[in-house]
Amino acid sequence: MSSTHLGHPWPLGAAVTVRGVNFSVVAPLATRVELLLFADGDAPEPFRIIPLDARHRSGDHWHVEVVGVGVGCCYGYRVYGPLQPGAHGFNPSKVLLDPCARAISGWSRYRRADATGTAPNTASCLKGVVTERDLFDFNAGPRPRHSWQRTVVYELHVAGFSQGESSPVAPERRGSLLGLIDTIPYLKSLGVTTLELLPVMAFDPQDAPPGRHNYWGYSPISWMAPHHGYLLGDDPLQARNQVRALVMACHQAGLEVVLDVVLNHTSEGNQDGPTLSWRGFADRLYYHQNPDGDYLDVTGCGNTVAANRPLVRQLMMEALRCWALELGIDGFRFDLGIALSRGENLAPLDQPPLFEELEADPRLSDLKMVSEPWDCGGLYRLHDFPARRMGTWNGRFRDDVRRFWKGDESCCWAMAQRLSGSPDLYGGRPPAVGRSITFITAHDGFTLADLVSYNGKHNLANGEDNRDGDNHNNSWNHGVEGPTTDHGVNDLRNRQLRNLLATLLLAPGVPMLLMGDEVRRSQGGNNNTWCQNNPLGWMNWRPDGEDLGLRLFLQRLVHLRTHLFSLLNPETPYAEGAQGAGVPGDHLWREWHGVALQQPDWASWSHTLAWSLNDHAHGPLLWCGMNAYSKPMHFELPTAPEGWLRVIDTALPAGQDIPHEPSRWMHDGAPLESRSLMLMLAPHLLNGKTL
């Protein structure tokens, strides 16, 4: 039998030493801890139990060094201590997963239900696996480091993007991290710069209603281990290498990889949920609770992690460094990130210690950071989000753009604000580049195709009687609910798809696209496919002619934005005003118009808007007209000394809507079809370039 030594409190988790492995966990109120060693992930019982007493304790940390074991060793813990208020917390009948485990085994025997109650779950528990802690090879695959000004984000599900009939991924690689590598040529063809992956940290597929599986992954069971379901093969030690292989391939192709991370809650749910990991080590430490032990929930998932507490913060920082430095990840999108700014009794903090620590760490200073500015407890902080470097999802952009093109009243002023960078939402001035993430669709909600095809959600397949999912979608089916053979309806829907995409890519901010929107991917009206690992949640790899037409439109649109990034997404906001009055000679300014020049119509009944960018040397550089009215409208055009090129007209057929070689516009005005968008550019801006 291998010998043991007292070990050290640092590093956290299981770290290989010269003699074996050092194990360290946090359990402040525990009275006794047992380390269990298993022969493999499927072993129903440990082959050795190592008791840790007071000699193995340093402050809040319990530790031991085990000689003769190494990488691949499977382990778990039992933790003893007094019952907490509410009669929950320590439960030594449950084998606990190390919160710092970098790999997990035992999935074939795992049963979530066995982690509740008082019966032992040893035969069906998950085990941590000792791994290496090597750093990512940034010499072979340096971070692309795209500036926020040039960034175009593409949000996708790791498994869903490579699944589906006609996928370019070999069948045996579909649904995996390595399979995603095979889609890189497609992603590059779109012109995007940054992939935002739905959760890749290990989550519990069994955290779902009976007969369904958790597919999206917003049910974390570990903050450091990659999800086993995305691996090729069943060797948990290959998990980290497969993440590295994906990141390396992306870096070498010039793509950044950002992870959607769920630190605000865990899969353990409320006090009646399973004891899997955090709860069994330090229930009162990790979760916000009232004095009676009731969980405080602002995440909608049963618990709220107390990110304000030092020991919790330490674990979170360790996890972020693990993914960024060891696995090469380029940034993080924090799910319900504002919940991480709550202090004791859920009080919002203006200087949340987690964000301060994150922004002060030089090793993480070159990462992209994004957060949702809302949580389920009513906290919403956009312009005053309490982190200096954090970009935030601009939900108002989504809502106002949808409403404008849907034809709602009182939308023109709000639309102008969004096209100006949303100064009304950021304290009267557009935010710095990178602070506002603009989007029309995301994983949570309708796809773009469904947004123009359904008035209401159709979520019966989720098994919750259509109660789940947002009821406030600002969608419009254009006369028929769902698919139709009506050519008029389909033509209008296709035009609206282009209007929405063009608005997103022409507006300031960091645009984010949803997987498959470029080929009209539909979820059949389901706006919450969190448990749909089937064609509803998969990529559309069998595009028809109209799908390909929209994809071509998006490719040329992204190319146009990339070429004009400094004009469309300026570092310094444009001045506003007619004729450039008071604008310095080397500055550009924006003018607002209606169907008549210099006469924007802000009335509640107005559905038309136009704007131009101008400089003193060349006059008007860009003019964009938007007609969300149900009838054609004729817009006046400002006089341009060079003349105009018509670059976008969403009323034209596919391929002509953004022509490969824009032609000169020879007319005095601009006739816009109903519900269409037109963009004119001064010829020197393209300088002969094709789209």
Side-chain angles (χ1 to χ4, degrees), residues 468-686:
D468 64 306
D470 198 345
N471 293 313
H472 184 67
N473 297 288
N474 291 309
S475 61
W476 179 32
N477 66 16
H478 296 85
V480 180
E481 188 76 352
T484 180
T485 57
D486 187 311
H487 294 296
V489 171
N490 285 327
D491 288 346
L492 181 53
R493 288 176 177 176
N494 286 331
R495 196 184 313 153
Q496 291 282 52
L497 295 174
R498 288 159 170 78
N499 294 335
L500 292 162
L501 288 173
T503 304
L504 174 65
L505 271 298
L506 294 176
V510 179
M512 183 184 76
L513 302 164
L514 173 63
M515 132 183 152
D517 276 353
E518 72 279 6
V519 286
R520 304 192 306 169
R521 184 178 76 90
S522 173
Q523 295 174 170
N526 191 321
N527 72 352
N528 189 34
T529 57
W530 71 279
C531 57
Q532 299 295 333
N533 184 12
N534 54 53
L536 282 183
W538 295 349
M539 176 61 177
N540 172 19
W541 288 114
R542 298 189 65 190
D544 62 21
E546 292 185 340
D547 300 335
L548 293 175
L550 183 63
R551 188 175 75 186
L552 178 62
F553 177 86
L554 177 72
Q555 289 170 322
R556 291 178 176 177
L557 185 60
V558 173
H559 181 69
L560 177 66
R561 181 182 175 91
T562 301
H563 179 65
L564 300 177
F565 75 91
S566 61
L567 187 70
L568 297 174
N569 195 18
E571 291 186 349
T572 303
Y574 294 126
E576 305 266 349
Q579 309 299 326
V583 178
D586 58 346
H587 285 57
L588 302 183
W589 73 92
R590 185 194 313 271
E591 294 181 1
W592 294 104
H593 315 284
V595 292
L597 293 174
Q598 308 292 341
Q599 297 181 42
D601 187 352
W602 307 122
S604 62
W605 56 78
S606 175
H607 300 288
T608 56
L609 184 65
W611 51 283
S612 60
L613 296 179
N614 314 267
D615 75 7
H616 291 287
H618 299 92
L621 301 175
L622 173 156
W623 178 89
C624 183
M626 298 175 167
N627 178 21
Y629 191 47
S630 59
K631 298 179 180 179
M633 301 292 287
H634 190 278
F635 286 69
E636 294 180 357
L637 272 177
T639 301
E642 301 178 54
W644 290 112
L645 296 178
R646 182 175 63 175
V647 178
I648 300 176
D649 188 343
T650 61
L652 294 179
Q656 300 176 40
D657 42 21
I658 301 183
H660 180 58
E661 296 185 24
S663 59
R664 284 190 174 270
W665 184 252
M666 307 304 293
H667 309 283
D668 292 334
L672 265 70
E673 182 57 74
S674 65
R675 298 190 174 94
S676 69
L677 177 150
M678 186 181 292
L679 177 71
M680 303 284 191
L681 289 180
H684 78 271
L685 292 178
L686 289 185

Side-chain angles (χ1 to χ4, degrees), residues 165-324:
E165 190 176 352
S166 300
S167 166
V169 182
E172 66 274 11
R173 290 166 62 88
R174 291 176 186 173
S176 70
L177 291 159
L178 295 182
L180 194 58
I181 295 175
D182 302 335
T183 69
I184 288 177
Y186 176 87
L187 293 163
K188 288 291 292 181
S189 76
L190 298 179
V192 299
T193 65
T194 305
L195 307 184
E196 183 174 306
L197 308 183
L198 266 63
V200 175
M201 294 176 176
F203 59 88
D204 190 352
Q206 297 180 25
D207 187 8
R212 291 165 178 80
H213 289 85
N214 194 307
Y215 172 58
W216 279 355
Y218 292 89
S219 180
I221 208 165
S222 169
W223 291 332
M224 298 193 197
H227 184 57
H228 75 290
Y230 297 156
L231 307 182
L232 282 184
D234 55 7
D235 182 358
L237 290 179
Q238 290 304 308
R240 289 161 56 81
N241 286 332
Q242 291 185 23
V243 174
R244 290 184 181 115
L246 170 61
V247 175
M248 180 67 71
C250 287
H251 284 187
Q252 292 177 344
L255 292 172
E256 297 174 314
V257 182
V258 171
L259 290 191
D260 194 335
V261 294
V262 186
L263 302 181
N264 63 84
H265 72 274
T266 76
S267 185
E268 292 184 311
N270 62 20
Q271 54 265 33
D272 299 320
T275 298
L276 301 168
S277 179
W278 300 273
R279 171 179 291 136
F281 287 103
D283 179 63
R284 299 286 288 182
L285 168 68
Y286 285 112
Y287 300 119
H288 284 294
Q289 302 173 37
N290 67 18
D292 296 328
D294 299 320
Y295 276 36
L296 305 178
D297 178 14
V298 296
T299 68
C301 297
N303 62 59
T304 304
V305 176
N308 58 302
R309 297 170 184 164
L311 291 171
V312 182
R313 211 161 60 239
Q314 174 66 54
L315 179 61
M316 291 180 173
M317 291 297 297
E318 178 76 1
L320 297 176
R321 294 185 190 109
C322 168
W323 287 93

